[in-house]
Amino acid sequence: MMYIKKHEYRKKILRMKQLDKLPTVDDVKEFIKVDGGFKSKRRLIKAFNIPSNIAMAFKEVINAALKDMGNNGGATEPAWQRRLKKRFLVEAKILKLHKHTARVQFVSSPLNDEVQDITLQTHGPHARVGDTVLLRGMQQKEGLVFKLLRTLVRGGEAAPKLASKHPTDVVDFAIQKHDLPTEFPPHVLEEAKKLKAPVLGKREDLRHLPLVTIDGADAKDFDDAVYARQTDTGWRITVAIADVAHYVKQGSHLDTEAYKRGNSVYFPNRVIPMLPERLSNNLCSLVPNEDRACMGVHMDIDKKGKLKKYKFFRGLMRSHHRFTYEEIQQAYEQRHTHHPLWHDVISPLYEAYHVLRAARDKRGALNINSPEWKVDFDEHGAIKGLSQRVALQSHQLIEEMMVLANVAAATALSNAEAPCMYRVHDKPDPLRVENLKRQLIQFKLIQNRAAFTSQHDFNKVLEKAEGTELESTVSDLVLRTQSQAKYQPHNIGHYGLNLDYYGHFTSPIRRYSDLLVHRSLIQLFSLGDDGLHPAVAEKFDEIGHHISQTERQAADAEREVTKQYIAQYATQQGNKIFTARITNVLNKGLFVMIDDIGVGGLLPIRALGNEYYIYDEEQAMLIGERSRRTYQLGQQLEVRILKTNEDSGFVDFKPVDAYEAPTRQKPKGKPGGKRRRGKK
């Protein structure tokens, strides 16, 4: 217990050391300029990764920087607008209403109780003074504008709830909240309706090649096919992709709509496609025994998995079989040599995959294995449970061959100095790495002075934790340390895959970035007259920013829907006892995960018992002042579900054995009288 006694002293020493490392006023001013003006102090604290115990000191640095820059840091919008996200939902009561403006009183976070004059994009035909409405705020070039989504209260009577418990309503609300386009305009559908599959012409005839698709059992579109054969020096791998560029011409209505959407959105029970069904589920879907236009690449690798040569082509193919991941994996594991495609397809694909996998392991790509949960529905569309997706070699087989094709595309364009929309992934922030190291030292997975700079260092730690009770916790920590991947025309490599050149080429049905790469390759290798226009290439910075935003928007919507489904499932669990794992420790409580059913959430500090808890940020630990109980990262404890909020997706837990401190007995005697001393 020596550590506990010295705890407060150690916190003071740590704080003094951290204060010496505070960013300077010049550091803050430079960040504000690059960030396009001052947004909020919270944003700066997060950007510089400032610990909570010195946040007040850092705010003084921010104040000094803002004073030097003229108080608002170069921002032109009012202070109340600067702290808002680019898109957000808020409830408000209409006090005054004009054609394009209104005075409102906000009645929900992030602007609760504020009265402001706002600009309305539209207020709808039924909005009137006195209504309480749901607004979407949007930061635009001309300033902050609001769009009225729905009337919540009219004449003092509440409108129906935004989201009921039925899963389809949850998705509808997410679509509305994130402004996701669901219906294609009539002129786009009309353009798609007129499209026809091409004849062979100058295309390479691949119909004799036993290309096959490998997808999930519930997949509706099949946009990639693979084939492999052994050569004298290694393997030749062919990856064929639906030729979306043939159908979606630059500047067409289809192209404009695809750019606007940026990508498809995948909810657990619904897909919002980037392209109309005429393309995504028909002309561009590589269904078996049908001629399909494709764009692909023949790649030669040596016996160590190194890419030696590649050739891009436009072809006409015919899928010889539609495999599910489970079907081809079972055929390989059980050695179904009687399968008609065993010798020409199944066995060569797996042999080539093993070579690629060995090359990946040697290269040192990050091997983070986080469990993926799937929401299961019954025949009525209601949630019946959660199931963990099983990772199969067949998944990795497709992944490695798609990665190889993506590398070939980016390498070809880079070598020719042609425009390329790279998929870049920067190295992790050094401060995040230091925070991770502190946790790993506590877990005794690394030494105090261990170097921790490369992908190999991350993988060594993941290997040490594999098979132990810390495996999931360490995987989560390593994943949270990584930076976010994005699209841009300036290459910095892909840290997670440990690759110098990487771009998305393999899914133009569902990602606009891939369509751009296809067009650039068509232009580079003279594969048609529908290559990338120079005027479009000049806008690659702007396009990369846009499609990175649409990707994040889709990911946010998908995550929110899944969270709400998990909360609905948690509601069904009643008062059951579960074993949970602590995934994060904060001063407000513990974040825990029930690994058996995939439900996670907050265990608030007030639920731990009636005593004060000391928060040790450095050790990621809560320490009971009286009981000396400790709660730390990776620890397991038994919990019950305390409450759920199905609208927000939040789940709160409580421990089964919360600490109850002994209560003091009241002194005897008359009320208000003095305490009497006992006899000596």
Side-chain angles (χ1 to χ4, degrees):
M1 288 298 172
M2 187 63 70
Y3 166 77
I4 303 296
K5 293 178 181 177
K6 293 182 177 180
H7 175 73
E8 291 299 330
Y9 174 73
R10 290 182 60 178
K11 283 185 69 175
K12 290 179 182 178
I13 296 297
L14 173 65
R15 186 173 185 274
M16 291 169 64
K17 290 180 179 178
Q18 289 173 326
L19 285 170
D20 291 338
K21 297 178 182 178
L22 270 178
T24 65
V25 170
D26 289 338
D27 292 334
V28 174
K29 286 163 65 176
E30 181 65 26
F31 179 87
I32 291 173
K33 289 176 182 176
V34 173
D35 202 34
F38 174 67
K39 305 294 191 304
S40 69
K41 290 181 180 179
R42 181 180 295 179
R43 179 178 177 86
L44 286 164
I45 290 170
K46 188 175 181 180
F48 285 97
N49 204 16
I50 302 299
S52 59
N53 61 334
I54 59 170
M56 291 299 294
F58 182 57
K59 287 180 181 179
E60 294 302 318
V61 178
I62 297 173
N63 290 337
L66 293 176
K67 187 175 181 181
D68 285 355
M69 299 178 76
N71 290 324
N72 68 348
T76 57
E77 66 270 23
W80 70 276
Q81 293 186 21
R82 292 201 299 271
R83 68 175 186 267
L84 302 174
K85 297 180 180 179
K86 289 192 175 181
R87 281 173 175 266
F88 61 95
L89 286 184
V90 65
E91 296 175 16
K93 184 175 182 178
I94 299 176
L95 305 179
K96 291 183 180 180
L97 185 62
H98 304 287
K99 187 173 182 181
H100 296 295
T101 60
R103 173 166 291 182
V104 299
Q105 180 179 13
F106 296 106
V107 293
S108 70
S109 178
L111 298 168
N112 199 23
D113 292 333
E114 291 197 27
V115 176
Q116 298 291 346
D117 292 319
I118 64 171
T119 300
L120 282 175
Q121 190 179 69
T122 176
H123 57 68
H126 303 298
R128 61 192 184 195
V129 174
D131 288 352
T132 299
V133 296
L134 178 68
L135 299 169
R136 178 188 290 112
M138 297 167 285
Q139 298 279 10
Q140 298 182 352
K141 290 182 180 179
E142 61 271 20
L144 182 65
V145 299
F146 289 85
K147 181 178 181 180
L148 189 147
L149 298 180
R150 185 169 180 171
T151 299
L152 302 178
V153 178
R154 188 185 301 283
E157 190 170 322
K161 285 184 68 176
L162 290 177
S164 73
K165 293 183 179 180
H166 197 277
T168 56
D169 293 328
V170 173
V171 172
D172 288 341
F173 180 61
I175 289 169
Q176 191 179 57
K177 176 181 176 182
H178 293 276
D179 199 20
L180 300 174
T182 55
E183 302 297 327
F184 288 95
H187 55 273
V188 173
L189 295 175
E190 187 62 29
E191 193 172 86
K193 189 177 178 180
K194 295 176 181 178
L195 297 173
K196 294 181 180 179
V199 295
L200 181 61
K202 295 181 180 180
R203 293 176 175 270
E204 183 177 340
D205 193 347
L206 302 170
R207 289 175 289 186
H208 66 285
L209 205 64
L211 286 156
V212 298
T213 62
I214 307 174
D215 294 277
D218 55 353
K220 291 185 174 63
D221 51 26
F222 316 111
D223 57 351
D224 57 76
V226 292
Y227 169 73
R229 66 176 176 85
Q230 194 166 14
T231 64
D232 294 337
T233 56
W235 294 87
R236 166 161 283 199
I237 298 171
T238 298
V239 172
I241 307 297
D243 191 356
V244 176
H246 170 77
Y247 300 105
V248 182
K249 305 297 185 183
Q250 290 173 95
S252 66
H253 295 310
L254 280 165
D255 186 45
T256 302
E257 185 68 18
Y259 169 74
K260 175 185 172 183
R261 295 177 180 231
N263 44 259
S264 298
V265 186
Y266 292 87
F267 296 114
N269 53 347
R270 181 176 174 182
V271 176
I272 302 175
M274 186 182 79
L275 298 172
E277 192 172 328
R278 166 80 172 147
L279 286 168
S280 59
N281 287 1
N282 191 339
L283 294 173
C284 291
S285 187
L286 309 180
V287 293
N289 305 316
E290 294 283 348
D291 289 357
R292 288 291 183 262
C294 66
M295 181 163 178
V297 56
H298 300 300
M299 299 170 288
D300 291 334
I301 61 171
D302 62 20
K303 294 177 181 178
K304 293 184 179 180
K306 186 175 181 180
L307 181 62
K308 306 299 289 186
K309 190 167 59 174
Y310 49 80
K311 179 189 176 185
F312 286 90
F313 61 84
R314 295 180 99 169
L316 195 67
M317 64 158 286
R318 181 177 292 177
S319 171
H320 284 227
H321 194 79
R322 181 268 204 263
F323 281 109
T324 64
Y325 289 114
E326 293 77 13
E327 178 189 2
I328 196 169
Q329 185 67 29
Q330 185 180 39
Y332 176 71
E333 288 179 351
Q334 298 181 5
R335 312 293 293 178
H336 288 177
T337 54
H338 60 278
H339 195 291
L341 294 176
W342 171 264
H343 295 288
D344 292 336
V345 176
I346 300 173
S347 181
L349 279 174
Y350 273 89
E351 289 177 34
Y353 154 69
H354 289 308
V355 174
L356 290 174
R357 181 68 198 194
R360 175 194 173 100
D361 292 340
K362 185 177 180 180
R363 187 174 76 238
L366 289 179
N367 289 322
I368 303 173
N369 297 315
S370 296
E372 186 179 352
W373 289 87
K374 177 176 175 286
V375 183
D376 299 318
F377 302 90
D378 62 20
E379 63 274 14
H380 304 294
I383 298 170
K384 67 176 182 180
L386 302 173
S387 59
Q388 193 169 335
R389 295 184 190 273
V390 180
L392 302 172
Q393 275 191 343
S394 53
H395 293 109
Q396 298 166 7
L397 183 155
I398 288 298
E399 180 184 348
E400 289 305 315
M401 292 187 178
M402 297 303 110
V403 166
L404 188 67
N406 289 337
V407 169
T411 303
L413 294 172
S414 179
N415 289 345
E417 298 184 355
C420 180
M421 187 60 71
Y422 294 100
R423 178 67 168 180
V424 299
H425 182 225
D426 206 353
K427 61 182 69 173
D429 183 282
L431 288 174
R432 287 187 179 182
V433 174
E434 285 302 312
N435 291 336
L436 173 66
K437 282 177 68 174
R438 284 201 294 268
Q439 299 301 326
L440 297 178
I441 290 168
Q442 183 184 348
F443 294 152
K444 299 181 180 178
L445 292 174
I446 62 171
Q447 300 299 318
N448 285 330
R449 296 186 180 181
F452 210 80
T453 57
S454 71
Q455 296 90 335
H456 288 283
D457 295 325
F458 284 109
N459 285 336
K460 284 179 186 176
V461 166
L462 291 166
E463 288 172 13
K464 281 186 179 180
E466 190 174 358
T468 71
E469 61 182 15
L470 290 173
E471 181 176 2
S472 296
T473 300
V474 172
S475 291
D476 291 344
L477 287 171
V478 171
L479 186 61
R480 289 203 295 262
T481 303
Q482 304 310 309
S483 59
Q484 191 172 45
K486 61 182 180 180
Y487 295 106
Q488 66 181 41
H490 312 292
N491 184 38
I492 60 171
H494 197 291
Y495 182 85
L497 293 172
N498 201 4
L499 292 167
D500 294 328
Y501 304 98
Y502 194 68
H504 279 160
F505 164 79
T506 55
S507 293
I509 284 182
R510 60 186 179 90
R511 293 189 302 235
Y512 194 78
S513 61
D514 303 48
L515 181 55
L516 295 171
V517 170
H518 278 225
R519 288 171 177 164
S520 193
L521 289 167
I522 291 167
Q523 186 71 21
L524 174 62
F525 294 111
S526 302
L527 297 175
D529 58 2
D530 47 0
L532 187 71
H533 290 174
V536 176
E538 290 176 2
K539 297 180 179 179
F540 261 29
D541 277 308
E542 178 186 336
I543 295 171
H545 178 71
H546 168 73
I547 59 180
S548 294
Q549 277 193 320
T550 59
E551 179 190 40
R552 285 193 289 272
Q553 183 185 38
D556 289 344
E558 292 164 358
R559 184 166 49 250
E560 286 173 17
V561 167
T562 301
K563 274 183 65 177
Q564 290 180 54
Y565 287 168
I566 290 174
Q568 287 189 20
Y569 179 68
T571 304
Q572 302 169 12
Q573 303 310 302
N575 205 32
K576 294 179 184 176
I577 296 176
F578 299 96
T579 299
R581 171 177 55 88
I582 299 175
T583 60
N584 203 359
V585 180
L586 300 173
N587 56 5
K588 65 179 179 181
L590 312 168
F591 279 96
V592 300
M593 168 64 70
I594 304 173
D595 290 320
D596 290 343
I597 61 172
V599 175
L602 178 69
L603 195 159
I605 198 167
R606 64 180 181 274
L608 292 175
N610 58 346
E611 68 169 327
Y612 177 75
Y613 278 84
I614 301 166
Y615 173 49
D616 186 341
E617 186 174 15
E618 183 183 6
Q619 300 292 328
M621 182 186 297
L622 288 176
I623 306 161
E625 189 178 48
R626 294 185 187 180
S627 66
R628 293 295 188 258
R629 281 191 179 190
T630 59
Y631 295 95
Q632 57 189 349
L633 213 57
Q635 182 178 329
Q636 292 188 336
L637 66 161
E638 290 191 326
V639 299
R640 287 189 174 97
I641 294 171
L642 178 63
K643 64 177 181 179
T644 62
N645 185 327
E646 295 180 12
D647 289 340
S648 66
F650 292 132
V651 180
D652 283 358
F653 295 89
K654 61 180 179 180
V656 172
D657 58 344
Y659 174 74
E660 297 295 333
T663 56
R664 296 177 180 176
Q665 292 185 352
K666 293 182 179 180
K668 295 180 180 180
K670 296 179 181 179
K674 295 181 180 180
R675 290 185 60 183
R676 297 178 179 268
R677 292 186 180 183
K679 293 182 180 180
K680 292 183 180 179

